[in-house]
Amino acid sequence: MAEALYIADYEDDALRKALSRHRTKPRISALIRAFAAMAQAMEDALIGLASDALFDVATGITLELYGAVIGEVRSGLDDATYRRIIGARVLANQSQGTTDEMIKTLLLLAGDGAEVNHQNLYPASAQFTVITNDPPGSQYLARVGIIMRLAKPAGVSIGGVWAVRVYFGFDADPEALGYNQGQLAFGF
């Protein structure tokens, strides 16, 4: 797609392009400036509309329109989380079911600083483990499960565990925290 060239100085440009004998006449130059100011206002508005409609910067109702196109409702999510859900749904819809595509989808859903591990369980199953700093909510995990089932190949069973780095465990694991300190992992 071609990028639009933004012109920030319509008035000066229009006066430069006017015939030299008209530039010095105050009424004609005022008329040229008036028309150029209207053109500048129109360009500013159109560039603003075009940039607000880009998925990476879309917010509010514009983001909800993207969600409606692919079948994801907002359900109270903030813009950043909803954008991750929509992006992951797009990846899942285009997925051929490869392990790399599924890991990429999970990394997008998990956000920055996440780690995703994968283990094949033959003959037709896979287990994914997502490790993040904060546990997700149960509704978010349900959406992750739905999106990952869309991304997987037909006939393959997948399972997932969403773990946190500060986890609950017993004395045998020196990195684990005890009761009321560590977080539990969740399945999706």
Side-chain angles (χ1 to χ4, degrees):
M1 183 173 153
E3 219 175 284
L5 176 65
Y6 177 69
I7 301 170
D9 61 344
Y10 267 97
E11 290 184 34
D12 295 335
D13 194 40
L15 279 176
R16 271 194 308 274
K17 291 178 180 176
L19 295 174
S20 62
R21 65 179 178 222
H22 296 304
R23 273 186 236 151
T24 58
K25 303 209 180 200
R27 289 185 181 172
I28 292 178
S29 66
L31 182 64
I32 290 171
R33 284 189 182 278
F35 282 128
M38 287 188 291
Q40 185 70 57
M42 182 78 78
E43 173 146 340
D44 292 346
L46 290 174
I47 291 291
L49 280 174
S51 64
D52 288 348
L54 296 174
F55 176 70
D56 292 338
V57 295
T59 58
I61 190 71
T62 308
L63 199 56
E64 289 178 19
L65 290 172
Y66 278 106
V69 168
I70 63 160
E72 281 293 331
V73 295
R74 182 181 283 267
S75 297
L77 296 173
D78 61 88
D79 284 345
T81 305
Y82 191 43
R83 189 176 295 107
R84 281 199 325 258
I85 290 281
I86 292 170
R89 179 69 182 264
V90 168
L91 287 176
N93 288 348
Q94 297 175 346
S95 174
Q96 299 297 313
T98 66
T99 301
D100 288 340
E101 289 172 331
M102 295 179 74
I103 289 173
K104 186 177 178 181
T105 304
L106 275 172
L107 283 170
L108 180 59
L109 286 165
D112 294 334
E115 179 184 334
V116 175
N117 299 316
H118 166 262
Q119 180 181 5
N120 283 325
L121 305 170
Y122 293 99
S125 187
Q127 176 75 27
F128 293 91
T129 304
V130 179
I131 303 169
T132 60
N133 292 326
D134 300 312
S138 59
Q139 290 181 339
Y140 191 77
L141 275 177
R143 288 178 107 161
V144 168
I146 291 167
I147 290 171
M148 291 310 295
R149 284 178 191 81
L150 290 171
K152 75 174 185 67
V156 174
S157 171
I158 65 164
V161 175
W162 195 297
V164 291
R165 289 189 173 88
V166 182
Y167 60 91
F168 169 78
F170 294 102
D171 290 339
D173 186 350
E175 293 181 15
L177 297 176
Y179 293 108
N180 295 328
Q181 293 176 336
Q183 298 281 331
L184 296 175
F186 302 92
F188 61 86

